[in-house]
Amino acid sequence: MKKLFLVLVGLLLIRACAHEQNDATGNLLPVPKSIQQGNGFFTVTKGTGLCISAPENDRNAVTRLLGAWEDMLSLTEKPADADCIAMEICEKVDGISSPEGYAIEVTEDGIKAKATSGAGLFYAAQTLLQLADGGNRIPVCSITDEPQFGYRGMMLDVSRHFFGKEFIKKQIDAIAHFKMNRLHLHLTDAAGWRIEIKKYPRLTDFAAWRKPAIWKDWWFGSREYVEKGSEGAYGGYYTQDDIREIVAYAAERYITIIPEIEMPAHSEEVLTAYPELSCTHEPYKQADFCIGNEKTYEFLENVLTEVMELFPSEYIHIGGDEAGKASWPHCPLCQKRMKEENLSDVNELQSYLIHRIEKFVNSKGRQIIGWDEILDGGLAPNATVMSWRGTEGGIAATESGHKAIMTPGGYCYLDSYQDAPHTQPMAFGPYMPLEKVYSYNPTDGLKEEQAKLIYGVQGNLWVEYIPTEELVEYMIYPRILAIAEIGWSNPAARDYSEFRQRAVKSVEWLKANGYNAFDLAKEFGQRKEALTPSEHLAKGKNVAYSANAPFNDRYNAGGETALVDGIHGGWTYLDEKWQGFIKGGIDITIDLGEEREISSVSADFMQMCIPDVWLPAKVTISLSSDSAEFRDIATIVHNVVRDEGLSFKNYGWNGKEKGRYVRYRAECGPQRGWLFTDEIIVK
Ligand code: ACM
């Protein structure tokens, strides 16, 4: 009898242990604020109830999303005690203060999810789908979750190359999966106007079309606009119906579309279609609107009126970046405006336009966002700054009580190389792998009061060099996942190697759902020279720079010891390990401290023509025993020609010589520009 009892107890224990261990966190991106894991799973089966207590729109949004289990779930009016997913919008959820937050309780018998808004409930549903990982079993766990930032955005440039509405909708689905809530569309730029404006048909009959199709051929070639429908015309635009469809599609996924209408610069296409709005009234000549001309305001206000009718977004992006301001000092109307308004320079003139446009936009109950140049000449009173030239603009905005959206180029510009450049399609910006994006924290270094004004973070994809939909997806994913997690998750909970594993899984999800994501699992990684310091005769020795060829302070790589510290640069000259020299070339002398036998002297250089970084045309290596008389031991000549992408070249000598002083000189080719080197290696 006793034996039978023991067998029964044993069986019960085995049954108790039969709840499978689960790893709920492994699939979640962004990582939630808090999660308690249990054992076992809730399994969605045919007949599992789905009860959503929420207004109809929100109920529909969640039902649509959980359509992944469509043939199993049956909608119910009341939550059942078992085998039910019960989701509810309620007044308050414990532990949550953000309206986008939610709480989920998963047991083996059912799921309860609560939020205070439709967005929160939608994110709870996204979390359930991520937990299920494409299947129908949801690990037992309880989650309380809410975002760090209210603005978690992605920007897509649809001007340099145009992408149709179905593609935009596809991207909305993906970023919503990762709980992002803004899609900023860069709708207008020199390369093409992309939104139908009823009052100005030439914008879409002409300014939306160009020849040839590929931006770099067009930009470095004719820069010609052509009539819609003419032979070879490339371009396109969203009709107002397309915009309504995109906006509604996004809203159903709790994403706000932020339209950007560029002003006063980046407007060559407008000023060719409507040349009377430029200072010189000549087509094809100007990029900046005439700020003195009242017609400029009439045009911009009419355009913005139609834009605001189409986009319910509280924020309207009015550009503001990179104005050349070249025609304004010579334009009688601009000069008159400056006098009348007591404006002291062209920055204040630009600021006049931004202030005036802000007033107009505010009068319609909306707010403006501008790139950080809108700080120049005085920030408009209610403007939000989008910080792209680093973080300084955003920080300055918060110091004066303005909101900022952080999108610094060094972390958030997704048109840069995401892996070793030689393994990648040509990109615009330097090496910026997932890890670099993930290392960004938008509130770093800010006081609490300032940090509160950081509205959020955004990843930007400019598409000068990205002509196809496949490439757009390749550049966005998975790096936008790092932006999603920076925007949502607590920085204290962030760990790159753990994030990377989840990102690799998310790439699988993206690929399974038809996105052309970069294959993170096969990442090549950093330049191998940069991984380990090198030992050589010159390391730690004294270096003298010729007064004619100093290193540039901005790219000092640590100063006078940078080229003999054993540390090598990576795939980008921006990593503070490459020392930069502009125009004067390089002329440095290393003192080895005593006469040494020398068998090699060499240095690496890089070339990336877009930012004006070139290989040297000539390197001369010389030795001396007394630093007075040098003898040349090698001259290396290279024919420097413009090319695409990034390349590296070692300029060195091998042989057998003696000397104490090693002089290394590098000269620019006809292009002049920058030289970058990371270490002079002497062996
Ligand atoms: C920008 O990248 N010009 C905002």
Side-chain angles (χ1 to χ4, degrees), residues 160 260 262 266 321-322 371 373 388 413 460 462:
R160 273 48 176 261
E260 181 185 351
E262 273 278 18
H266 281 275
D321 57 321
E322 297 183 309
W371 298 111
E373 287 92 333
W388 73 281
Y413 269 40
N460 292 341
W462 302 101

Side-chain angles (χ1 to χ4, degrees), residues 66 71 91 223 240 261 283 371 386 474 486 529 558 568 624:
L66 295 181
D71 53 348
E91 292 232 318
R223 298 199 192 176
Q240 296 206 344
I261 305 296
W371 298 111
M386 193 167 264
Y474 184 84
I486 293 166
E529 290 85 343
H568 295 259
S624 164

Side-chain angles (χ1 to χ4, degrees), residues 151-168:
Y151 186 115
R152 305 176 300 280
M154 177 168 94
M155 188 220 75
L156 183 61
D157 168 11
V158 291
S159 173
R160 273 48 176 261
H161 292 99
F162 180 65
F163 307 104
K165 70 177 175 191
E166 293 310 321
F167 182 74
I168 301 295

Side-chain angles (χ1 to χ4, degrees), residues 302-564:
N302 284 335
V303 167
L304 288 170
T305 298
E306 291 193 36
V307 165
M308 285 188 278
E309 278 163 14
L310 290 166
F311 295 91
S313 166
E314 181 190 356
Y315 289 92
I316 305 295
H317 202 304
I318 49 89
D321 57 321
E322 297 183 309
K325 304 171 188 164
S327 60
W328 301 343
H330 315 290
C331 166
L333 289 181
C334 287
Q335 289 306 302
K336 184 161 169 270
R337 177 82 68 195
M338 285 179 71
K339 260 204 198 94
E340 282 169 3
E341 299 293 334
N342 209 13
L343 307 171
S344 59
D345 60 22
V346 286
N347 287 338
E348 289 191 7
L349 187 60
Q350 155 147 335
S351 172
Y352 168 85
L353 176 133
I354 303 290
H355 274 71
R356 200 164 148 179
I357 293 298
E358 173 176 87
K359 224 177 192 170
F360 176 74
V361 170
N362 288 171
S363 76
K364 308 283 179 199
R366 313 293 184 91
Q367 301 293 331
I368 63 161
I369 301 174
W371 298 111
D372 56 50
E373 287 92 333
I374 66 168
L375 284 152
D376 304 341
L379 188 53
N382 305 311
T384 294
V385 170
M386 193 167 264
S387 192
W388 73 281
R389 296 175 300 174
T391 56
E392 295 81 0
I395 293 170
T398 62
E399 277 164 356
S400 57
H402 289 255
K403 279 207 242 179
I405 298 160
M406 303 306 275
T407 176
Y411 298 92
C412 298
Y413 269 40
L414 308 180
D415 54 346
S416 49
Y417 285 100
Q418 65 190 312
D419 200 358
H422 67 275
T423 66
Q424 295 302 299
M426 193 197 159
F428 192 78
Y431 180 55
M432 202 182 75
L434 183 68
E435 183 169 11
K436 172 87 183 184
V437 181
Y438 194 71
S439 69
Y440 180 55
N441 180 16
T443 53
D444 263 354
L446 293 185
K447 298 192 197 92
E448 202 180 322
E449 282 313 298
Q450 282 173 271
K452 279 190 198 145
L453 290 166
I454 299 292
Y455 192 16
V457 61
Q458 177 168 288
N460 292 341
L461 189 72
W462 302 101
V463 299
E464 284 92 339
Y465 290 88
I466 306 177
T468 66
E469 295 181 348
E470 290 72 25
L471 260 184
V472 167
E473 291 182 354
Y474 184 84
M475 300 305 275
I476 292 173
Y477 308 111
R479 284 182 294 180
I480 202 71
L481 276 48
I483 301 285
E485 185 146 312
I486 293 166
W488 185 280
S489 306
N490 185 340
R494 297 211 311 256
D495 169 74
Y496 179 68
S497 58
E498 184 276 323
F499 167 77
R500 190 177 186 281
Q501 289 172 31
R502 287 182 288 116
V504 166
K505 285 206 80 166
S506 298
V507 166
E508 285 167 21
W509 179 87
L510 284 159
K511 282 181 176 279
N513 285 278
Y515 295 89
N516 182 41
F518 164 70
D519 196 345
L520 182 63
K522 297 197 178 126
E523 188 178 20
F524 183 97
Q526 183 55 283
R527 184 172 176 247
K528 73 175 181 343
E529 290 85 343
L531 299 176
T532 37
S534 64
E535 294 300 328
H536 58 94
L537 290 180
K539 190 173 168 188
K541 298 295 190 294
N542 284 335
V543 179
Y545 286 76
S546 155
N548 299 327
F551 57 81
N552 185 274
D553 267 345
R554 196 158 139 223
Y555 300 104
N556 64 47
E560 303 225 328
T561 56
L563 298 184
V564 288

